[in-house]
Amino acid sequence: MSQSPNAERQIWIFTQMLRIRTFEERVKRAFTEHPGVIRGHTHLADGAEGSIVGSLSHFRQGDAALATYRCHGYPLVLGSDPKAMMAEIFGRADGLCKGLGGSMHLTDVKHGFLGTSGIVGAGIPHAAGVAWAAQIRKKGNVVLSFFGDGAAKQGAFHETLNIASLWKLPVVFVMENNGYNVVTTTVQEDANAAAGEPLATKAKAYAMPGVTVDGNDPLAVHAVVGEAIERARAGKGPTLVESKVYRLSAHGNIIAPPGVPLHYPEHEAIATFGKREEYEAALRGDPVPRFRGILVKSGVLTAAKADELATRIANEMQEAVTFGLNSPFPKLESALEYNYA
């Protein structure tokens, strides 16, 4: 059984959640404060902080993680430099991938974050390959594969869960079900395209445990994913964890006509379905202030210390923005580097 995190670890979890939230807010603000500095699509994970940090709280040297395009939080928790991350999102040469990857393709191999993809579900089989390598090495390492609920309709999801179970690969599949695939709700999917609720029941077809957890509760995620990781390290194979969260931002930025600043629209719950009450309820359950309140009430953290953390993190992310804006653009000739035939 995974042990409950002590007070120090709980403060670490809250700190990382707050770092993700502040980083995402600075990315969102960049669209209006610095129009045109971010090109292409950018997808935020505000609302999923408890799920991300609760899962990665068990990460150790030699483990690996792969994620989908909503990917800023994972490398931040694993130790990536927020300056290099922001520079990458801004398409600058000092970025994690030298400005060649952008928001949807962050990679930091040094810290165990092996990359992302803009293709739904594409990283799931990659995670199985990394887990197979870990199994061969026999060092007890595990792989965490993060993806959204929409990936459950992809062939890569089903094929990979099947082989991961057959070979007892040390991989934990973390499905972050945020309730919306762009403007399609999971309720609509259950009726038309993806039968089975909760989605964790899909694990039964592949003879592996399937667990649904409240992704707004980082300690619950810590416990559930911790058990799955212990199982994987012991050679007992994979687990599918469905972490239910609520994406607080829109699916992604809008590509506006030339001369018009990119911006984030209202959340799909409001803009598409008129569900303002649903969205406001999600805001009231926001995992970051919710966990802050829990820690303060329990005496693990004082309100003054929480405020101090917020100020320090705000300064950290402002430094990241400044660094990104001052970083040079990649040279034209770099377009032919890192290409392999």
Side-chain angles (χ1 to χ4, degrees), residues 57-71:
S57 60
H58 297 278
F59 202 89
R60 72 188 194 192
Q61 184 70 31
D63 291 345
L66 297 93
T68 185
Y69 51 80
R70 200 174 300 281
C71 60

Side-chain angles (χ1 to χ4, degrees), residues 26-88:
R26 290 316 308 259
V27 172
K28 182 187 287 191
R29 282 171 52 186
F31 283 95
T32 53
E33 293 180 356
H34 309 285
V37 73
I38 299 177
R39 303 302 178 103
H41 288 280
T42 302
H43 306 84
L44 305 184
D46 43 347
E49 295 90 349
S51 178
I52 294 169
V53 183
S55 297
L56 292 176
S57 60
H58 297 278
F59 202 89
R60 72 188 194 192
Q61 184 70 31
D63 291 345
L66 297 93
T68 185
Y69 51 80
R70 200 174 300 281
C71 60
H72 305 156
Y74 311 98
L76 192 62
V77 174
L78 294 178
S80 295
D81 184 353
K83 294 187 180 72
M85 290 176 58
M86 196 69 75
E88 185 62 36

Side-chain angles (χ1 to χ4, degrees), residues 161-184:
L161 264 65
N162 183 54
I163 199 167
S165 182
L166 284 172
W167 292 358
K168 296 189 182 302
L169 297 180
V171 56
V172 179
F173 300 104
V174 183
M175 176 198 297
E176 291 175 335
N177 182 354
N178 62 31
Y180 285 83
N181 288 317
V182 190
V183 296
T184 304

Side-chain angles (χ1 to χ4, degrees), residues 22-306:
T22 309
F23 186 91
E24 298 286 54
E25 287 177 346
R26 290 316 308 259
V27 172
K28 182 187 287 191
R29 282 171 52 186
F31 283 95
T32 53
E33 293 180 356
H34 309 285
V37 73
I38 299 177
R39 303 302 178 103
H41 288 280
T42 302
H43 306 84
L44 305 184
D46 43 347
E49 295 90 349
S51 178
I52 294 169
V53 183
S55 297
L56 292 176
S57 60
H58 297 278
F59 202 89
R60 72 188 194 192
Q61 184 70 31
D63 291 345
L66 297 93
T68 185
Y69 51 80
R70 200 174 300 281
C71 60
H72 305 156
Y74 311 98
L76 192 62
V77 174
L78 294 178
S80 295
D81 184 353
K83 294 187 180 72
M85 290 176 58
M86 196 69 75
E88 185 62 36
I89 293 169
F90 292 174
R92 307 303 177 96
D94 294 322
L96 276 182
C97 303
K98 302 184 184 300
L100 304 176
S103 170
M104 291 194 288
H105 302 98
L106 299 180
T107 302
D108 190 348
V109 175
K110 181 177 67 175
H111 289 101
F113 189 64
L114 304 190
T116 64
S117 173
I119 301 171
V120 174
I124 301 174
H126 297 167
V130 178
W132 188 26
Q135 186 182 66
I136 292 170
R137 293 189 184 103
K138 298 181 180 180
K139 294 183 178 180
N141 295 124
V142 301
V143 179
L144 287 164
S145 175
F146 295 93
F147 48 89
D149 46 288
K153 299 194 298 292
Q154 298 290 336
F157 168 85
H158 297 277
E159 294 156 4
T160 304
L161 264 65
N162 183 54
I163 199 167
S165 182
L166 284 172
W167 292 358
K168 296 189 182 302
L169 297 180
V171 56
V172 179
F173 300 104
V174 183
M175 176 198 297
E176 291 175 335
N177 182 354
N178 62 31
Y180 285 83
N181 288 317
V182 190
V183 296
T184 304
T185 68
T186 51
V187 174
Q188 291 170 317
E189 288 172 359
D190 291 339
N192 302 311
E197 175 67 26
L199 293 177
T201 59
K202 294 180 183 295
K204 292 182 179 180
Y206 306 106
M208 70 174 68
V211 187
T212 299
V213 63
D214 177 7
N216 287 330
D217 183 346
L219 301 184
V221 176
H222 172 92
V224 167
V225 175
E227 288 187 20
I229 287 176
E230 287 178 7
R231 183 174 186 273
R233 292 200 200 281
K236 297 180 180 179
T239 300
L240 173 62
V241 177
E242 177 192 14
S243 182
K244 302 196 80 167
V245 299
Y246 194 99
R247 169 169 51 78
L248 296 175
S249 285
H251 170 74
N253 64 281
I254 289 176
I255 302 295
V260 178
L262 296 176
H263 68 282
Y264 278 84
E266 286 190 298
H267 191 279
E268 292 77 15
I270 302 170
T272 306
F273 301 104
K275 298 179 179 179
R276 187 170 295 277
E277 290 183 2
E278 173 190 297
Y279 184 67
E280 290 176 350
L283 289 176
R284 290 193 294 273
D286 186 332
V288 177
R290 171 177 145 176
F291 193 50
R292 179 190 190 277
I294 290 172
L295 295 185
V296 171
K297 185 176 181 180
S298 66
V300 169
L301 185 67
T302 66
K305 179 64 175 177

